[in-house]
Amino acid sequence: MLAISFFTLLLLSVPVAFVLAITALLFIYTSDNTVLLSSYPLQFFGGLENYGLLALPLFILLGECMHEGGIARRLMAAAAACIGSVRGGLAYINLLANMMLASILGSTVAQVTIMARIAVPQMQQAGYRKDTAITITALGGLLAPIMPPSMLFIIYGVIAQISIGDLFLAGIVPGLLLSLAFLAIIGVLAKKHQYPYTERQNGKQRCKALFQSLPAVMIPIIIIGCILGGIATPTEAAAIACIASILVGKYIYKELHFTFIGPALIRAAQNAAVVLLLIAASHVFGWVITFENLPAQFADWIQHITNSPPVFLFLVVLALLVMGMVMDPIPIIILVVPVLLPVAMDHYGINPFHFGVVLCLSLVLGLLTPPIGSALFVASSLSGIRAERIARLALPYLFAALAVIALLVLLPALSLVFISSP
């Protein structure tokens, strides 16, 4: 009954948060455990009683402040100064700027939206095809859910009840590996398709671009530095970064006006409310499936297939890739973590931080695969290029990402390099 009602509501296009909440109610009624109704509101509210969730609206607000304050444009200029004049230089610059932006925003949609406005016109002027430019921009956005701070990591950390700060640290090496894999693909394609050389800059121009980007570069340093140094929690670091981005945009770059703050706060609250409703509903749903003993039943079933932790992880990755094609990552995390994480930890001895990194990286690919990929359709709507065309051009990069996932599954230590007590 639980499964039938869940999938029926999904097929009727009911929002996922309501699907979770209604399914939980239906289970209570059909199982004759109506005494659980008295706990339903408490469980719903209890899903939001987590200090780490404050980081969500703060990082969304940080993205708003960065865009309005001209910080993203300075990061692009800094990347250009670092690359120099090479074939396909603007493609490298786009990816490097995305990498720096990912360490600030943590949101794929926000990142693709910002970089599509900045990078795509520049690449077109330099002689790149528009479909190539928007594909590379969209792929750069895939770094946001992996490079800290990551919205997916925050949500996973809250549901898994593990340290979000340590989870951010676990994402550093996988994020760098994914970036290097994408840079390698750009290098191959740049030679094959004869991408244009970047305009040569003299020493004075490079120094000027790097100097102007210093305040912008300080923002990710503030976030990571505060977390690594134990100075602030991820939530506090996000608040500090918001204030820093407002000050930089207003008083250094002089592009941000205080009239922007009101609308930005409203947009951040609206976007955060959608995610928080999902998390509250998922907490109730997780409570119900735990009562139904579903994790234990799933563990018994999967153990009949394999006793190997890597094989179990590969099966999970395969399932997540399929789910990612038809659902957004946040609902998937909310649905599968209460079921899969206990099995991974208790029956296979998999570290929860390692499991979270593999899970989030697997879901990232769904952002750029049809029919639902949000990054794919944001890129398509911003550029006018068909989503199918962008997906085809992205295939070499997606295969590279799969190779990174396989490496992480086989070498768990890569996810735990910066965690002192994994």
Side-chain angles (χ1 to χ4, degrees), residues 169-202:
L169 299 181
I172 293 176
V173 172
L176 291 174
L177 287 173
L178 187 62
S179 303
L180 290 172
F182 285 175
L183 288 170
I185 297 296
I186 287 176
V188 173
L189 295 179
K191 186 174 181 181
K192 179 180 178 181
H193 298 294
Q194 297 293 295
Y195 289 171
Y197 282 89
T198 43
E199 183 180 344
R200 189 176 297 277
Q201 295 183 8
N202 58 38

Side-chain angles (χ1 to χ4, degrees), residues 283-349:
H283 190 268
V284 175
F285 188 79
W287 168 59
V288 166
I289 64 172
T290 302
F291 190 85
E292 180 73 355
N293 205 28
L294 189 59
Q297 292 176 34
F298 178 78
D300 290 339
W301 175 76
I302 200 75
Q303 280 187 304
H304 283 93
I305 298 175
T306 179
N307 290 318
S308 167
V311 174
F312 167 76
L313 277 178
F314 277 123
L315 290 172
V316 169
V317 168
L318 181 62
L320 293 173
L321 290 174
V322 174
M323 293 177 71
M325 292 180 181
V326 294
M327 291 178 67
D328 281 336
I330 291 175
I332 296 174
I333 289 177
I334 289 167
L335 288 172
V336 305
V337 170
V339 177
L340 293 181
L341 184 60
V343 177
M345 292 174 62
D346 299 337
H347 296 273
Y348 291 95

Side-chain angles (χ1 to χ4, degrees), residues 12-13 23-24 41 53 58 64 117 179 226 238 264 266 271 274 288 312 327 345 362 379 390 400:
L12 292 173
S13 298
T23 303
L53 285 177
L58 289 171
E64 297 277 351
R117 296 175 186 170
S179 303
C226 285
I266 292 171
N271 292 330
V274 174
V288 166
F312 167 76
M327 291 178 67
M345 292 174 62
S362 301
I390 298 173

Side-chain angles (χ1 to χ4, degrees), residues 223-301:
I223 295 172
I224 304 301
C226 285
I227 296 171
L228 279 175
I231 300 169
T233 65
T235 302
E236 293 161 349
I240 294 167
C242 281
I243 295 170
S245 66
I246 291 171
L247 294 176
V248 168
K250 173 66 177 176
Y251 297 108
I252 298 178
Y253 295 147
K254 303 186 187 300
E255 294 185 18
L256 189 147
H257 303 286
F258 285 138
T259 54
F260 145 83
I261 293 177
L265 287 169
I266 292 171
R267 286 194 296 271
Q270 289 173 334
N271 292 330
V274 174
V275 179
L276 292 173
L277 179 61
L278 268 170
I279 291 172
S282 75
H283 190 268
V284 175
F285 188 79
W287 168 59
V288 166
I289 64 172
T290 302
F291 190 85
E292 180 73 355
N293 205 28
L294 189 59
Q297 292 176 34
F298 178 78
D300 290 339
W301 175 76

Side-chain angles (χ1 to χ4, degrees), residues 55-68 71-73 75 97-116 118 140-141 143-152 154 168 216 219-220 223-224 238 241-242 245:
L56 274 173
L58 289 171
F59 280 119
I60 293 170
L61 178 62
L62 178 58
E64 297 277 351
C65 296
M66 282 191 53
H67 175 56
E68 291 291 328
I71 293 171
R73 188 157 46 82
L75 291 176
N98 267 297
M99 189 174 164
M100 289 187 278
L101 207 58
S103 66
I104 302 173
L105 289 179
S107 166
T108 293
V109 173
Q111 187 163 330
V112 173
T113 302
I114 291 171
M115 289 301 294
I118 298 170
L143 299 173
I146 300 301
M147 298 289 286
S150 159
M151 295 295 179
L152 297 189
I154 293 171
F168 282 178
I219 293 175
I223 295 172
I224 304 301
C242 281
S245 66

Side-chain angles (χ1 to χ4, degrees), residues 334-375:
I334 289 167
L335 288 172
V336 305
V337 170
V339 177
L340 293 181
L341 184 60
V343 177
M345 292 174 62
D346 299 337
H347 296 273
Y348 291 95
I350 296 172
N351 184 281
F353 297 101
H354 173 58
F355 184 77
V357 169
V358 172
L359 181 142
C360 291
L361 186 52
S362 301
L363 292 178
V364 160
L365 302 191
L367 294 170
L368 211 61
T369 54
I372 302 295
S374 56

Side-chain angles (χ1 to χ4, degrees), residues 40-50 53 158 279-280 283-284:
Y40 187 93
L42 294 174
Q43 293 293 334
F44 197 90
F45 181 75
L48 301 178
E49 285 188 306
N50 192 299
L53 285 177
V158 168
I279 291 172
H283 190 268
V284 175

